Amino acid sequence: MSKKKKQEEAAPGSPAWMATFSDLMNLLLCFFVLLFSMSTVDADKWEQMVQSFTQEFSIFSGGAMAIGDGILISNGVSQLNELDDYINSTGKAADGDSMDDLKEFEAEQMAAAEQLAEQIQEAISESQFANQIDVDFTSQYVSLTLNGALLFDSGSAQIKEEAKPLLDKVGQLLTRYAESTIEIEGHTDNVPIHNAKYANNDELSSFRALSVFDYYMETTFLDPAMIKHSGRGEYVPVADNSTPEGRAQNRRVEIKIYHNLSTMN
């Protein structure tokens, strides 16, 4: 039996079709270059297009013109001298104006809160509850603080009967002066509580705030959508919990009246 001839090995290098394809691409490139060299550009239309991009994307006026007179390349030094003036008239000046506006607005907020606090304090001082309502304010709100012992028995969220005239007075103040959000917060001391109704201070403070909210829903025409209520537990003390006097101050209900300029409504 004759031996089979070995198959010839493929020639090294790229396949033959790639050379043909490359030649075709080169011919197409030459063809389009030839077409472009024979074409003409309408100068008027080109100028209109450049001006359109200039106005649309806020590029320097006049197409290739830089800031001020002359072209940037030819008048480079003089143009760069004017660059800082240009930036000052846009970004830097805007930042300075923004800071001034912010400070002015914060001053207006503080003035609005102070004026509201003075009006409320004057109304309270003319009543029998002058020593039972503490008035304070921030730039965002005026707060009325009521001692928890005046409103509730220990471990309870039920409003005392003798505390209702005090809440009625506060309700009158809210109806008269509150034009924005009202927030009712319940606070406790750090003495642990656990009874049949409340598992901890968080629950107790939440139900106390809710009791005050419910009372005003029954006795006033305040819009419930304007009123928030929350329990803050023992986490926002205003006095030292290590003393009986401090714990008494921490057991409280705060009612915050936000004014119209407040940004926390």
Side-chain angles (χ1 to χ4, degrees), residues 165-180:
L166 172 61
L167 289 178
D168 290 339
K169 179 58 181 180
V170 174
Q172 294 173 7
L173 297 174
L174 297 178
T175 301
R176 181 177 179 182
Y177 295 107
E179 298 179 355
S180 189

Side-chain angles (χ1 to χ4, degrees), residues 81-97:
N81 289 335
E82 297 180 24
L83 182 60
D84 194 55
D85 293 338
Y86 175 74
I87 295 176
N88 286 336
S89 65
T90 55
K92 292 181 180 178
D95 291 342
D97 292 343

Side-chain angles (χ1 to χ4, degrees), residues 206-226:
S206 296
F207 275 94
R208 285 181 171 181
L210 180 60
S211 294
V212 176
F213 170 81
D214 289 339
Y215 184 79
Y216 286 136
M217 292 300 95
E218 296 173 359
T219 60
T220 71
F221 294 100
L222 292 170
D223 183 358
M226 293 174 54

Side-chain angles (χ1 to χ4, degrees), residues 113-176:
E114 184 175 7
Q115 181 180 7
L116 179 60
E118 290 176 352
Q119 293 173 339
I120 293 176
Q121 183 65 68
E122 182 178 358
I124 293 175
S125 62
E126 297 174 354
S127 70
Q128 59 180 338
F129 305 104
N131 297 326
Q132 299 177 14
I133 305 173
D134 292 330
V135 181
D136 200 359
F137 67 93
T138 69
S139 63
Q140 300 295 323
Y141 57 80
V142 175
S143 64
L144 309 181
T145 301
L146 311 178
N147 190 289
L150 297 176
L151 303 179
F152 310 100
D153 289 326
S154 178
S156 172
Q158 184 176 355
I159 298 173
K160 296 180 179 180
E161 285 296 324
E162 57 267 30
K164 291 182 178 179
L166 172 61
L167 289 178
D168 290 339
K169 179 58 181 180
V170 174
Q172 294 173 7
L173 297 174
L174 297 178
T175 301
R176 181 177 179 182

Side-chain angles (χ1 to χ4, degrees), residues 226-241:
M226 293 174 54
I227 306 177
K228 303 176 183 179
H229 55 86
S230 62
R232 305 302 303 275
E234 64 195 65
Y235 307 112
V236 192
V238 293
D240 188 357
N241 273 312

Side-chain angles (χ1 to χ4, degrees), residues 189-190 237-250:
D189 57 27
N190 66 345
V238 293
D240 188 357
N241 273 312
S242 63
T243 65
E245 295 79 11
R247 290 193 293 272
Q249 293 182 53
N250 290 331

